[in-house]
Amino acid sequence: MPISLRSRWAFLPLVLALGAISLYFLRLSINREAQPLPEGTHNAPDHDAPKVPVYKDIHREIAPPLPEYFPLAARAQSSSDLPPVPSWNKPPDPHVPEQTRLYIGFTRFWPLLQQVVVSYITAGWPPEDIYVVENTGTMDANKRGLLTIQNPFYLDYNRLTKILGVNIITTPSLQTFAQLQNLYLSEAINNNLTYYFWSHMDVAVHSHEDREPFKSLYMRAVDVIRETQSPDYLRNDEGVQQKWGIQFFAYDWLSMVNVETFASLGGWDTMVGYYGTDCDMYSRLSMNNVAQPVQDAGMIYDVTTSLEDLEVLYRRRPATPKNKEEETAAESAEKRDDDDDTHDPKEASSSSSSSPPTTLTQEDTLNSTNYHSLATTLTAIQQAKRTDSERNSWQKRQNGGQGEPYYYDPDGFEKALQMTIEVGARVNEEKWGHKGCDIRAAGVREGDQWRVEHDWTFD
């Protein structure tokens, strides 16, 4: 059937529309081909161009080498090359009947770990009862001596175990603070302990030498154990006995934990990895009417740096010769030391690392001028930390270790840590519907976890 002229005109709009669409896509294709290619890829098709990341402008200053804060231990071949623990702090022999296991966690900055270990030993804590928990995430690298001292995760395995005589437990991977606390609890359960002690690594301790009757920090801690074991401990006039969960010595810089109580509350909340997890744990103890007594065993300082020479903690002073023979021996020893200083530096270093020191010393006296000088120095270090706007800056003083096993970029580690801390804090806020550590002030009770609205939305 033939199409009339009028019918043919009816198709004209459709033809024009198809033509316009075709012109649009043709122009779009021409414009896309006309765009310049990225620099260095003019001869390559767009889809073959390699992706080039844009790098951050990072200017990292290499930290200066760490000094040796315990030269005597560096030269020692065994524990017998170290001075004895001050006689007034010497732990009982045989060991007290109470178990006195002390856990000290470590992740970064070896000088502070060494200092806290030496300070506990010289304050009377038996080395065999001290357990350093190596939480570096570097597997057995420290045990095999594969890390250098500029690596943030370095520790001297040989010095801790062979010279200082303490124990080391290595975590299988990097743990958060809360996970580390549950590791202590698990270790205690597996070793049938009813209580244990734990300490922060960024502290230094010593006994109260200016108090009478004198007792070492260690023996005062033992007294606390014996106090808690009394049948009438925390029993009121009505005969009701309150449970205890933790004994605080200078907050939790040093603490004694009741294994049964902590386990009954489920341990630490590992979803709150760092800051805020202590607020959660201690608040839950309070909600369950569990006592958290404050005790005093000795001086405990919150520090950021190490004493210049840890030998000062052994409380030795230059020997006073009693007769001509001893005076001659002392002069000979000093002359040998002076002669060593005039030798080739490499020879002197080799000699000092293979032989014990020759300087003659004698024990200081209880509550001496040297004791008060030590206390003044540690107080100044603590005060400096309190006034520092970044109180944990010590955690970033090492940035070496490139090319060593399990290397992790130090700046990246710090940034990732801070992000993890922030997430944990937000989790704790959601858990209790409250910001800050004063969780009980929000009126919440045990069982209110994850059930209450944000209280800050009503301010």
Side-chain angles (χ1 to χ4, degrees), residues 232-403:
D232 294 324
Y233 182 62
L234 296 179
R235 190 181 301 277
N236 62 22
D237 295 339
E238 286 74 35
V240 179
Q241 190 171 30
Q242 186 182 15
K243 292 182 179 180
W244 70 273
I246 188 169
Q247 306 281 335
F248 288 121
F249 301 84
Y251 188 52
D252 63 6
W253 296 346
L254 170 64
S255 303
M256 175 182 165
V257 172
N258 185 327
V259 174
E260 181 182 3
T261 305
F262 268 59
S264 69
L265 295 182
W268 295 69
D269 186 349
T270 54
M271 296 298 182
V272 187
Y274 293 93
Y275 295 118
T277 194
D278 55 338
C279 305
D280 171 77
M281 185 73 243
Y282 303 150
S283 293
R284 286 190 286 124
L285 289 173
S286 181
M287 291 174 191
N288 286 275
N289 193 34
V290 176
Q292 303 169 65
V294 175
Q295 303 286 359
D296 181 13
M299 290 302 299
I300 304 174
Y301 302 89
D302 185 25
V303 297
T304 60
T305 191
S306 175
L307 296 163
E308 291 184 3
D309 189 341
L310 296 181
E311 188 176 356
V312 69
L313 294 171
Y314 288 86
R315 304 293 303 288
R316 308 295 294 179
R317 63 184 183 188
T320 303
K322 297 179 181 179
N323 51 49
K324 187 66 177 177
E325 183 177 339
E326 289 188 0
E327 184 175 356
T328 302
E331 290 175 352
S332 298
E334 291 178 1
K335 186 176 186 303
R336 284 195 299 273
D337 288 342
D338 291 340
D339 289 344
D340 286 343
D341 292 340
T342 63
H343 293 164
D344 180 79
K346 293 183 179 179
E347 293 180 2
S349 175
S350 174
S351 174
S352 65
S353 64
S354 61
S355 60
T358 55
T359 304
L360 298 180
T361 63
Q362 65 184 28
E363 186 175 73
D364 197 8
T365 56
L366 183 70
N367 196 28
S368 68
T369 301
N370 289 335
Y371 163 75
H372 290 281
S373 176
L374 172 63
T376 298
T377 300
L378 289 172
T379 299
I381 294 175
Q382 176 173 261
Q383 186 59 31
K385 182 174 185 177
R386 289 179 175 176
T387 57
D388 189 348
S389 59
E390 195 174 357
R391 65 187 305 274
N392 286 329
S393 58
W394 57 268
Q395 296 176 339
K396 298 179 287 184
R397 288 186 192 161
Q398 295 162 285
N399 57 13
Q402 290 88 342

Side-chain angles (χ1 to χ4, degrees), residues 125-162:
W125 216 286
E128 65 270 20
D129 288 356
I130 298 176
Y131 286 74
V132 170
V133 180
E134 183 200 352
N135 181 40
T136 61
T138 62
M139 304 293 182
D140 62 346
N142 275 310
K143 185 176 182 179
R144 296 170 60 195
L146 301 179
L147 306 186
T148 61
I149 196 169
Q150 291 305 114
N151 191 313
F153 307 114
Y154 166 88
L155 63 75
D156 193 326
Y157 204 97
N158 180 73
R159 188 177 301 185
L160 287 172
T161 58
K162 304 301 183 184

Side-chain angles (χ1 to χ4, degrees), residues 108-129:
R108 291 182 289 177
F109 203 54
W110 155 251
L112 286 191
L113 175 66
Q114 178 178 231
Q115 176 171 256
V116 69
V117 168
V118 172
S119 70
Y120 273 112
I121 291 174
T122 55
W125 216 286
E128 65 270 20
D129 288 356

Side-chain angles (χ1 to χ4, degrees), residues 159-285:
R159 188 177 301 185
L160 287 172
T161 58
K162 304 301 183 184
I163 307 302
L164 297 175
V166 304
N167 309 279
I168 297 179
I169 299 173
T170 301
T171 60
S173 62
L174 186 69
Q175 309 283 293
T176 66
F177 178 83
Q179 290 172 330
L180 204 59
Q181 291 297 326
N182 281 342
L183 176 61
Y184 302 163
L185 184 61
S186 175
E187 282 286 316
I189 292 171
N190 293 336
N191 286 278
N192 299 315
L193 302 179
T194 57
Y195 57 85
Y196 62 89
F197 294 86
W198 73 272
S199 173
H200 288 262
M201 61 159 284
D202 55 335
V203 302
V205 307
H206 63 69
S207 302
H208 288 305
E209 294 190 20
D210 51 356
R211 294 189 184 180
E212 295 182 355
F214 171 79
K215 284 190 175 183
S216 70
L217 178 145
Y218 174 70
M219 287 309 300
R220 288 184 183 274
V222 171
D223 283 346
V224 172
I225 297 174
R226 293 170 179 171
E227 179 186 0
T228 64
Q229 293 175 339
S230 168
D232 294 324
Y233 182 62
L234 296 179
R235 190 181 301 277
N236 62 22
D237 295 339
E238 286 74 35
V240 179
Q241 190 171 30
Q242 186 182 15
K243 292 182 179 180
W244 70 273
I246 188 169
Q247 306 281 335
F248 288 121
F249 301 84
Y251 188 52
D252 63 6
W253 296 346
L254 170 64
S255 303
M256 175 182 165
V257 172
N258 185 327
V259 174
E260 181 182 3
T261 305
F262 268 59
S264 69
L265 295 182
W268 295 69
D269 186 349
T270 54
M271 296 298 182
V272 187
Y274 293 93
Y275 295 118
T277 194
D278 55 338
C279 305
D280 171 77
M281 185 73 243
Y282 303 150
S283 293
R284 286 190 286 124
L285 289 173

